[in-house]
Amino acid sequence: MASALRTLSAATSLIRSNYVRIALQAARAADPNAKLYIEEYGAEIANPKSNALYALAQTLKNSKVPLDGIGFEGHVVAGQLPNIGDVISNTGRFAALDLDWAYTQLGVRIVNGGASIGRQMEDYISMLSACTYSPRCVGAVTSGIVDAITIEGTGIWGGPNWTETLWDASYQTVEAYYGVELKLSLATTNGNF
């Protein structure tokens, strides 16, 4: 019994240190046409987290592990955006690894009334500007439809006094929706949208 536990522990240790590689290789084997991404939150600009993500992506690419892109969640607080030039620079270094990128949970959060809905719209447009500027950005997905059914809106991550989605509780569009719609309708960058 003890040797079986040690063997399991050694196997578990091996898998833990290689699980991203194993998962990507298994996914490619299961569907050779699937686009394979790894994703992280808080990595939109160069910082320790994005540096670690970059190092992982670079290692995977250098090892010929299938990886097609990076997902940046894109959760930001209205009025506290990262510098969009820094976002463009950071995502550009991933593009230089021959990787596409996307916002995979874009949300501009108003916390406890700390910003106006007009500011939320402006910040959504700014965040999308980094994507429409980049030839390797393949799209943007929002963090949810209405706040009540997102992890943020349920209070799990900060409380019900947050709002970041493009529809209200009655499924009516909020002001930011129209800014996003306009930005995307004007975007023709490299046919991304």
Side-chain angles (χ1 to χ4, degrees):
M1 179 74 156
S3 67
L5 290 176
R6 276 193 292 270
T7 303
L8 178 62
S9 177
T12 301
S13 178
L14 177 65
I15 290 171
R16 282 185 185 147
S17 63
N18 292 293
Y19 79 93
V20 174
R21 177 185 55 77
I22 292 167
L24 290 168
Q25 289 171 332
R28 182 56 45 91
D31 184 349
N33 298 314
K35 294 293 185 180
L36 304 179
Y37 281 61
I38 54 176
E39 175 194 70
E40 187 58 87
Y41 71 95
E44 294 78 21
I45 62 171
N47 59 35
K49 185 180 279 192
S50 68
N51 292 340
L53 182 62
Y54 180 83
L56 173 60
Q58 188 175 46
T59 297
L60 294 169
K61 291 293 282 187
N62 290 340
S63 301
K64 306 292 187 226
V65 174
L67 179 64
D68 300 304
I70 303 293
F72 297 98
E73 288 193 10
H75 294 287
V76 296
V77 175
Q80 299 176 28
L81 286 191
N83 178 289
I84 298 305
D86 293 343
V87 174
I88 290 169
S89 177
N90 186 53
T91 56
R93 69 183 176 147
F94 289 90
L97 293 175
D98 194 30
L99 293 169
D100 291 331
W101 70 275
Y103 287 125
T104 53
Q105 294 188 38
L106 182 61
V108 178
R109 189 175 300 136
I110 298 174
V111 180
N112 298 319
S116 70
I117 56 174
R119 180 56 191 244
Q120 181 187 40
M121 180 177 69
E122 292 170 11
D123 290 353
Y124 260 111
I125 291 169
S126 292
M127 290 296 284
L128 285 170
S129 293
C131 188
T132 59
Y133 176 84
S134 171
R136 296 305 298 257
C137 182
V138 296
V141 177
T142 60
S143 63
I145 303 298
V146 296
D147 293 313
I149 57 173
T150 65
I151 195 167
E152 291 84 5
T154 60
I156 293 172
W157 287 2
N161 294 322
W162 290 9
T163 181
E164 70 175 16
T165 58
L166 299 176
W167 287 266
D168 66 18
S170 300
Y171 293 89
Q172 301 298 308
T173 53
V174 300
E175 188 174 337
Y177 173 91
Y178 300 102
V180 169
E181 179 184 47
L182 177 62
K183 180 66 180 171
L184 295 178
S185 70
L186 296 174
T188 56
T189 305
N190 299 305
N192 287 353
F193 296 94

